[in-house]
Amino acid sequence: MSTAGQVIRCRAAVAWESGKPLSIEEVEVAPPQKDEVRIKILFTSLCHTDVYFWDAKGQNPLFPRILGHEAGGIVESVGEGVTDLKPGDHVLPIFTGECKECPHCLSEESNICDLLRINTDRGEMINDGKSRFSINGKPIYHFLGTSTFSEYTVVHVGQVAKINPEAPLDKVCVLSCGMSTGFGATVNVAKPKKGQSVAIFGLGAVGLAAAEGARVSGASRIIGVDLNPSRFDQAKKFGVTEFVNPKDYNKPVREVIVEMTGGGVDRSVECTGSIQAMISAFECVHDGWGVAVLVGVPNKDDAFKTHPVNLLNEKTVKGAFFGNYKPRSDIPAVVEKYMNKELELDKFITHTVPFSEINKAFELMLAGEGLRCVIRMDE
């Protein structure tokens, strides 16, 4: 029996307040409106950004809310005006979008869509400013336009990448945020040449995806920087060749790396969100040609400070958003890289839990255990 055009009742993990365990509730999911798609989520994974906004310490709190933005699923129904997706399509919902019409979408250089760029404060759909989720008539806020911690969710069509139906959703779901963010920051933005040196600040999932990008690019030295030495063994699987724990030195980490490399690394990628790490990542690159790429999300009051002479010495600092990938145009091809064994994803997935145990995924991340925990929605 078709559910198109009807309200669907299903399970969702609702964050009622900051820092409190999510609660599995029955929610009502309204049909998709103009330019929207309703998706049955099969697998979702926990990203640090979910924890960040659940904890809500450095951001504006917005509750009750359904978090989640790294996922894979199948289109259940489409709203008016949606022509390039149909029920049954395999898709990745993505926290940023591509309207295909604005100056950013028409530019080959940018992936920051004017209409659908990330907005962490928005809890409603852009079409009518209303939520598609409710419990007993009370609206529940959306998160990043995706809200994948629900068995069904409604997403703007511009935030949905249609992918190869043969691709295993329990693996490629991680490409909808973290892996693409890190891998793309290296291959699309830092662009290390074969034989160059790369420093990766932060060896969580995004940092290791950046390291994977450096490995695939043929970097000769990949230096991992992290305050947690237990991450070093795992990082070797991703091509990291050397490790620096800033706590082991009584001088700034930028000086350590400059000395190790005889002048600085050729490229660095910062994946922590720590403003100090961002500054160090920039100041440790080689003058004349060094490029630092900032990926981590800082606190809202942070300020990046460095001496202008670093720029005059021809060091470059860049930001990267979602690995410079356009969600609809580029992500299907990244999925194909996995299918063609040019990109490894399985090693990023260290845990799986049933949906009923979603809070276990939060516990693992807060304890710094593993990389990605995939949540099976049908259990």
Side-chain angles (χ1 to χ4, degrees), residues 212 215 232-240 344 347 350:
E212 177 84 353
R215 183 185 70 78
F232 293 166
D233 263 356
Q234 186 173 45
K236 290 174 186 169
K237 296 180 199 164
F238 298 83
V240 179
E344 295 178 28
K347 61 189 177 185
T350 50

Side-chain angles (χ1 to χ4, degrees), residues 190 192 195-199 220 261 264-268 284-286 289-292:
Q196 286 191 321
S197 58
V198 181
S220 60
T261 53
V265 285
D266 301 303
R267 302 287 186 267
S268 71
C284 81
V285 299
H286 206 290
W289 62 79
V291 178

Side-chain angles (χ1 to χ4, degrees), residues 331-350:
I331 293 304
V334 182
V335 170
E336 291 309 309
K337 275 186 186 294
Y338 171 74
M339 297 297 283
N340 296 333
K341 299 189 165 44
E342 297 166 40
L343 169 64
E344 295 178 28
L345 292 178
D346 302 43
K347 61 189 177 185
F348 286 98
I349 299 164
T350 50

Side-chain angles (χ1 to χ4, degrees), residues 182-192 210 212-214 216-217 323 325:
F183 188 79
T186 303
V187 299
N188 295 336
V189 186
K191 297 181 179 174
E212 177 84 353
V216 167
S217 301
Y325 289 117

Side-chain angles (χ1 to χ4, degrees), residues 39-44 71-74 93 147-148 150-153 377:
I39 301 168
K40 180 177 185 178
I41 299 294
L42 297 182
F43 300 94
T44 186
I74 296 176
S147 293
T148 61
S150 174
E151 291 176 315
Y152 287 86
T153 188
M377 299 301 288

